[in-house]
Amino acid sequence: MQEWTTEESAGLYQIGGWGEPYFSINAAGHVAVSPTNDSESQIDLYHLVQDLEKRGLSMPMLIRFSDILADRIARLNHCFSQAIKEYEYANVYKGVYPVKVNQQRHVVEELVEYGRPFQFGLEAGSKPELLIALSTLKTPGALIICNGYKDSEYIETALLAQRLGQTPIIVLERFHELHLVIEAARKLNIRPILGVRAKLTARGIGRWGDSTGDRAKFGLNAGEIVEVVETLRRNDLLSSLQLLHFHIGSQISAINVIKSALKEASRVFVELAQMGAPMQYVDVGGGLAIDYDGSKTNFRASKNYNMQEYAYDVVAAFQEACKAKDVPVPILVSESGRAIASHQSVLVFDVMGVSGMKVGTPEALRKGEHVIIQNLYETYTNISPDNVQEAYNDASQFKEEALSLFALGYLSLQERARVEKLYWASCERILRLVRELDYIPDELADLEQTMASTYYCNFSVFQSCPDSWAIDQLFPIMPIHRLEEEPTARGTLADLTCDSDGKIDQFIDLRDVKSVLELHPVNEGETYYLAIFLSGAYQEILGDMHNLFGDTNTVHIHLNPSGAGYQVEHVVKGDTMTEVLKYVQYDHEALLESIRREAEKALRDKRITLSESRLLLRHYERSLSGYTYLSQQPETEPALI
Ligand SMILES: *Cc1c(COP(=O)(O)O)cnc(C)c1O
């Protein structure tokens, strides 16, 4: 047998496809992280995790690589400046980060810092997000795009921010907001900078296809846009209208969808300019997709274009449309969230246990065994690459017959057990051969899933990757070590919740989707670590506390400027049980008091001994201040960080 190589693991898990240039496999068979995109400063993820555990941080943990975030922002800006240069576009790019994608303070603060050289701004989609943007963004000239439903308070706050030197642009999402804006501007005597969100007819596709089109929740149709212009003109505010916005949905996998939206939007832009609005900006919204499966296709978990092509298309569309009508080209704004925030976060968790079919080799045929057992045994021994389908049919039929015989009293329980063992051993053999086939017959396609093990994992799908549950989103998932070793097991992942939906059984594959993941058998006495990658966008805030599993431990890892090693920048300890219980209105002291009283009563009635009662109370109290996830080793020492 040939040795398994790390290259084979790389191919199997597609790490080159979705991980480039940040994630790869090193010679030790561990996942390596290159946050700054050069091999000099590689971090061994497995060693990092062990290091963090030594510091008292337990599983599961979310690791954010700050340098990846910095690289994503630099990359996006570089792509636009490249396109601007190449097309000799006579204006600039000024992106904004949509806060809703990941509102965690450390993330937003880092973003603002790394974005400063590019005058990168923030986008708010609600009042609380506006509050974050106003107090966090301190970059002169950077934009604050104010989206979402607005009331007078929202609008007045945005207007007043101009007095602080900010550049808030109020985007009209609904016609009704126009009157609120006119009123607020008059009341405060501040000239607003306004945008309109156009409802494009170019349809998005996929999950968020309804973000545009006639039935879209947000945006103004052509008639309403014309009405906005006329109303502003009448109120002597047309000079305020400076931005056109559109957003055709998230994770747009197909470039032609983006192209047709750009075409339509650039026409609207030119028309607005010709109607007399001093148009200065176009905001192309989000939608820049991530290649979760690395297939570079227009499959929903992928995209058939890259960031540079996207930038070229945006620049080209407005260059052409404006040139045609002799309108000055606008400042380009995009609200790419997923494309900026996804790569930075990796969720690492351990496997608590595995359950699966332990088939083993069946005993040899004994003299005088039932004829059905003889038949099945013969099928089992004769399985070959040429007869897998036939062998499977035979084995299944013999098993069915055996079950009928058992029901009728012609087969003992021992004999039935023998039949089942032979049947599963046959299936296992067949499956091994099927995996080598180019074409898998329909009847055998489910065999992989039927035979798969369940890996019980120390995390909650609902808390840490809710989109996997809610919208069947695919994330790259793989072991972070033992990658020099062939993963001989096949499994699906079950989480800690007691919800049967708390599982992952859809995995990335070059062709469509896989129902099982290649994994290693868990070695006795050794922790087996898996990780979910590209999870930095949306997952944290959409996550919920199903079964009261709270926020996970989170760390920010920052490379040392010297290039050697890394430093642990922020440690955000995950929720304690007291914290999640408080969220559902349970008071720590009241809970303790109640259990103490019950224990006293039990002591009095001699239902519990003194030492049992002491142990119970100690567990109860310690749990309250502990992490909501399971700890492999009992936590004896306090965290060192
Ligand atoms: C959600 C959203 C975005 C971010 O979209 P991504 O696909 O994550 O880039 C941008 N703009 C608006 C208006 C949004 O609602």
Side-chain angles (χ1 to χ4, degrees), residues 10 27 120 131 193 197 223 313 319 508 511 632:
F120 217 70
L131 303 187
I193 313 171
R197 175 164 176 172
D313 284 342
Q319 177 88 313
I508 61 159
R511 286 173 290 190
Q632 292 275 45

Side-chain angles (χ1 to χ4, degrees), residues 396-512:
S396 304
Q397 199 195 330
F398 291 139
K399 190 188 75 164
E400 290 307 315
E401 279 175 25
L403 289 179
S404 310
L405 290 171
F406 175 74
L408 293 169
Y410 297 120
L411 216 58
S412 72
L413 189 60
Q414 284 94 332
E415 286 169 320
R416 176 178 160 178
R418 173 99 164 115
V419 164
E420 286 181 8
K421 187 156 188 181
L422 277 168
Y423 172 75
W424 289 116
S426 305
C427 287
E428 194 175 52
R429 262 196 184 175
I430 291 165
L431 185 57
R432 274 220 195 102
L433 295 171
V434 164
R435 281 183 194 146
E436 307 295 319
L437 297 180
D438 292 328
Y439 164 76
I440 299 175
D442 269 356
E443 286 101 325
L444 300 179
D446 294 336
L447 206 50
E448 193 75 83
Q449 205 169 5
T450 315
M451 301 290 294
S453 304
T454 302
Y455 277 61
Y456 294 94
C457 302
N458 192 13
F459 80 116
S460 157
V461 166
F462 304 93
Q463 175 63 250
S464 294
C465 55
D467 277 347
S468 152
W469 161 67
I471 57 172
D472 286 333
Q473 191 182 318
L474 299 171
F475 292 95
I477 301 174
M478 63 181 285
I480 63 167
H481 59 136
R482 295 175 65 185
L483 297 164
E484 77 292 5
E485 188 186 320
E486 182 172 4
T488 50
R490 299 290 180 278
T492 58
L493 311 184
D495 78 356
L496 287 180
T497 68
C498 55
D499 192 313
S500 55
D501 271 352
K503 61 172 189 219
I504 299 181
D505 57 5
Q506 301 262 297
F507 304 95
I508 61 159
D509 191 25
L510 264 193
R511 286 173 290 190
D512 211 15

Side-chain angles (χ1 to χ4, degrees), residues 116-218:
R116 190 163 295 129
F118 311 105
Q119 286 195 311
F120 217 70
L122 295 173
E123 184 261 3
S126 66
K127 250 198 279 187
E129 288 180 358
L130 178 66
L131 303 187
I132 293 177
L134 291 182
S135 66
T136 313
L137 191 67
K138 300 200 175 78
T139 309
L143 307 177
I144 296 179
I145 303 285
C146 306
N147 287 331
Y149 287 127
K150 299 168 200 74
D151 57 13
S152 304
E153 190 181 55
Y154 182 130
I155 291 164
E156 288 184 16
T157 308
L159 285 176
L160 287 165
Q162 280 188 33
R163 298 281 195 242
L164 303 179
Q166 305 267 33
T167 315
I169 303 184
I170 300 170
V171 179
L172 304 172
E173 303 253 14
R174 296 190 318 137
F175 189 74
H176 166 74
E177 291 168 2
L178 178 61
H179 302 292
L180 297 179
V181 169
I182 293 173
E183 214 172 281
R186 205 168 280 150
K187 179 175 150 195
L188 301 174
N189 197 23
I190 299 176
R191 264 198 177 265
I193 313 171
L194 291 180
V196 275
R197 175 164 176 172
K199 212 181 253 187
L200 301 181
T201 46
R203 287 292 306 241
I205 47 162
R207 187 74 199 31
W208 292 274
D210 290 342
S211 301
T212 181
D214 295 333
R215 297 279 309 140
K217 181 167 150 191
F218 289 117

Side-chain angles (χ1 to χ4, degrees), residues 346-412:
V346 180
L347 180 83
V348 182
F349 51 91
D350 51 334
V351 172
M352 315 290 299
V354 182
S355 80
M357 249 169 258
K358 287 232 166 43
V359 181
T361 313
E363 285 167 33
L365 197 65
R366 290 183 301 270
K367 252 213 176 97
E369 282 200 276
H370 195 287
V371 61
I372 198 105
I373 295 176
Q374 293 180 28
N375 289 342
L376 194 49
Y377 192 84
E378 196 181 334
T379 305
Y380 167 71
T381 47
N382 288 334
I383 294 169
S384 79
D386 309 321
N387 72 358
V388 280
Q389 174 84 68
E390 190 191 340
Y392 180 69
N393 294 345
D394 288 352
S396 304
Q397 199 195 330
F398 291 139
K399 190 188 75 164
E400 290 307 315
E401 279 175 25
L403 289 179
S404 310
L405 290 171
F406 175 74
L408 293 169
Y410 297 120
L411 216 58
S412 72

